[in-house]
Amino acid sequence: MKNRLEELRREKGIKQEELAAAMEVSRQTIGSLENGRYNPSLILAFKLAQYFGLSIEEIFIYQEENQ
């Protein structure tokens, strides 16, 4: 799943550490999310959407994998 998390975070002028603290996760979790190595839990996705004032779909872009 792709996402706009890094772009949104930079637009807001905050560091990974600051976003991690606001989400109550580690900085490594934010880094992994931004790099596409980790998909968030539904709760974390909602928290991120609320934090940025966007819908989940505006942050996370779901693409089905070819099987």
Side-chain angles (χ1 to χ4, degrees), residues 32-54:
S32 292
L33 282 168
E34 290 182 354
N35 292 320
R37 293 189 308 256
Y38 173 72
N39 291 326
S41 68
L42 191 53
I43 292 170
L44 181 54
F46 272 109
K47 286 173 74 173
L48 286 162
Q50 186 175 28
Y51 181 84
F52 288 107
L54 300 170

Side-chain angles (χ1 to χ4, degrees), residues 8-66:
L8 295 167
R9 179 180 58 76
R10 289 180 186 265
E11 283 176 7
K12 220 171 165 80
I14 60 171
K15 297 179 180 180
Q16 285 184 343
E17 293 84 358
E18 294 170 297
L19 182 57
M23 297 297 109
E24 299 177 323
V25 297
S26 69
R27 185 207 53 81
Q28 289 83 357
T29 297
I30 299 299
S32 292
L33 282 168
E34 290 182 354
N35 292 320
R37 293 189 308 256
Y38 173 72
N39 291 326
S41 68
L42 191 53
I43 292 170
L44 181 54
F46 272 109
K47 286 173 74 173
L48 286 162
Q50 186 175 28
Y51 181 84
F52 288 107
L54 300 170
S55 69
I56 290 174
E57 294 86 357
E58 290 175 295
I59 300 174
F60 298 97
I61 300 98
Y62 174 72
Q63 296 176 333
E64 287 198 37
E65 296 179 26
N66 294 331

